[in-house]
Amino acid sequence: MAYETLTESQLRRVLEAGRSLVSEPDLEKLLEQVLSIAMELTGAGHAALGVFDQEEVGLERFHPRTSGFPPEAPNTDPVVRVPIEIRGETFGSIYLTDRADGDEFDDRDKAILGVLAEWAALAIDNARGYEETERRRAEFERAVQTLEATVSLSRTGAAETDLPSLLDLISKRGRTLVQSRSLLVLFADPDVGLMVAAVDGEFSTSLEQEVPGGNVLLEKARLDGLVHHTEGRILDLPDGDIVRAGSAMLVHLSHAGRSQGFLLALERTGQDRFTPDDELVFQSFASSAANSLAIAKDEQRERLRATIEASERERRRWAIELHDQTLQDLGALKVMHEGALSRGDPQTMRRSLVLASSQIDDSIASLESLIQELRPPTLDLLGVAAAVETLVERMDNRTEMALTSFIDLGYERGDRPTRLAAQLEATIYRAVQEALNNSVKHAEATKVSVSIVERDDQVTIFVEDDGKGFSPAGGTGERFGLHGMRERVEMVGGELEIDSAPGSGTRVEVRLPVQLQSVAGAG
């Protein structure tokens, strides 16, 4: 273009216009700005910018700056048209008409428009690059968010085996990831069937209600993996709530051929409907969610199995105790009673009755001991501190070992008006009881110390003896009942460590997270 035909002021304005154009990243704003500058510099009454389609045979878009242009590109005089070429391809054309002074557009106007078209080409190319960069950045951020959500869910899900907490976590993470107004988790419970297990967002309904079978969309999602539904009713719930949405995604949760349920996302925030990218993200998240649910179910079944096994071991133990001690005592008492009756001698009968009375006292003491072993009433009435102190005192009286105890709990100190939860108190008592039994029956110890301290939302138990010790790695611990102790501790989220070696005594350490209950409900 002939810059020499421009006046100094026009050239300065064209340069200023160029700088402002190349700094505008928004393409639509940029096109509007090009038209405004063209009208300002040439005095045109109307301006328009046509954007060609990919074949460059027709217009894809037409931007009139003011009214007066026909819907298509103008082809009548007096009109000035200058093409905008970007990297050898025609992007579109700038059109001007109706000079304000009524004159025709001259060479200077055409020169101004030509320079402006060159600047516009650079600016449009720059804006396109910016848009592409922003699009890729958004895609990358979305991919990172998806990866973070799935990895975070996998990690948390592996540690979180409480199903209600995990289901609630899935609903919150899933809704945030796809930016939906609401998200429902429909969980496949083996006993109940499909039920509403978690809801996050604006939609509100009662949980744990069974979802009726025969729903067409659910069956389609089960077959296809994902259904994108628009405009209409999705689900009728038994409580009377109707799930409907203008846009919804329903994805099947499946792991290793087993159905875990469905995720239902309702209404994309800020958009009319969910996009194909949303569908991919949702399916990826659903895969991670299904995996976490399967792990939680397996863990739940394993805990149930371990609980049943522990219960059976306890029953076998008490059956042996009752058979070897109480039942034999009662048998001996019956023999003495029958012998006294058969002899008929008053003196013999008196001696037999005295022996029988002593045997009855022993049997009562044995049964009281068994009752204390099974579930001491003190534990429920007064709490774990009193129950452990009674246990230590009873063992101290029955053995020649020197037993000492130190107990410092928050409730006992008066730091809070609540006792520990009943299950936690029972775990503390059983851990101390089992450790003491090991010291008494197997360790040949002369001294045993018990310490129970609560600090920083954790209860720590130490039971130490100076006995013969053992090798925990050698499997002997199973015989000493430590396996059952470990199961009890892990069921309340705690940890057990055993430090022992042959000839060096044993130190049992248990760490348990604090769980509280009200004093009124403690008994």
Side-chain angles (χ1 to χ4, degrees), residues 35 87 115 125 179 194 298 313 316 318 344 355 385 393 435 453:
L35 296 179
R87 300 179 186 273
V115 174
D125 192 37
Q179 300 177 36
L194 194 64
D298 291 342
R313 282 196 297 271
R316 284 195 294 270
W318 300 126
L355 289 173
E393 182 180 355
V453 177

Side-chain angles (χ1 to χ4, degrees), residues 95-348:
Y95 303 90
L96 298 179
T97 187
D98 297 333
R99 274 188 56 153
D101 56 11
D103 294 337
E104 293 185 0
F105 294 101
D106 56 23
D107 291 340
R108 185 172 295 174
D109 295 325
K110 295 176 183 178
I112 290 174
L113 196 57
V115 174
L116 186 60
E118 291 180 1
W119 279 114
L122 291 173
I124 291 169
D125 192 37
N126 180 60
R128 278 176 163 180
Y130 179 79
E131 283 186 347
E132 178 65 16
T133 301
E134 285 297 293
R135 184 185 65 79
R136 291 183 178 179
R137 183 186 62 80
E139 289 178 353
F140 179 73
E141 287 183 354
R142 190 70 180 273
V144 170
Q145 288 175 356
T146 304
L147 181 62
E148 287 178 345
T150 53
V151 170
S152 174
L153 180 62
S154 298
R155 288 176 177 173
T156 308
E160 180 60 80
T161 55
D162 178 61
L163 271 175
S165 299
L166 179 58
L167 290 163
D168 186 60
L169 177 67
I170 289 172
S171 68
K172 287 180 168 56
R173 294 276 172 86
R175 175 177 171 244
T176 301
L177 185 62
V178 298
Q179 300 177 36
S180 62
R181 296 189 185 278
S182 303
L183 191 138
L184 286 74
V185 182
L186 310 180
F187 179 61
D189 188 288
D191 299 321
V192 179
L194 194 64
M195 68 175 187
V196 180
V199 179
D200 189 62
E202 299 174 9
F203 185 82
S204 177
T205 188
S206 57
L207 301 181
E208 298 185 1
Q209 56 176 316
E210 187 175 353
V211 177
N215 183 279
V216 175
L217 290 176
L218 291 178
E219 292 306 314
K220 183 172 176 55
R222 192 187 302 275
L223 293 173
D224 299 341
L226 181 140
V227 172
H228 192 159
H229 179 71
T230 58
E231 298 298 336
R233 180 177 294 194
I234 301 168
L235 202 62
D236 291 351
L237 297 175
D239 282 6
D241 291 323
I242 299 175
V243 183
R244 65 173 77 240
S247 179
M249 290 190 297
L250 183 65
V251 64
H252 184 216
L253 298 173
S254 177
H255 177 76
R258 291 186 296 171
S259 176
Q260 308 295 330
F262 300 86
L263 295 183
L264 175 56
L266 306 175
E267 305 286 354
R268 178 71 151 87
T269 303
Q271 288 185 203
D272 292 336
R273 56 181 297 171
F274 294 102
T275 66
D277 286 344
D278 294 327
E279 295 177 5
L280 292 174
V281 167
F282 204 37
Q283 283 184 303
S284 175
F285 177 78
S287 177
S288 179
N291 180 61
S292 296
L293 287 173
I295 292 173
K297 279 185 177 180
D298 291 342
E299 180 66 22
Q300 200 173 56
R301 282 192 290 267
E302 182 62 23
R303 285 190 177 186
L304 178 61
R305 183 198 62 77
T307 301
I308 293 172
E309 288 184 356
S311 176
E312 288 301 312
R313 282 196 297 271
E314 290 281 322
R315 290 182 180 184
R316 284 195 294 270
R317 175 181 173 183
W318 300 126
I320 293 171
E321 292 281 349
L322 288 169
H323 177 272
D324 292 349
Q325 188 168 347
T326 306
L327 188 60
Q328 291 184 13
D329 289 346
L330 291 174
L333 180 61
K334 183 175 183 295
V335 169
M336 284 186 286
H337 179 68
E338 290 175 347
L341 290 177
S342 64
R343 292 186 181 88
D345 180 6
Q347 277 190 324
T348 301

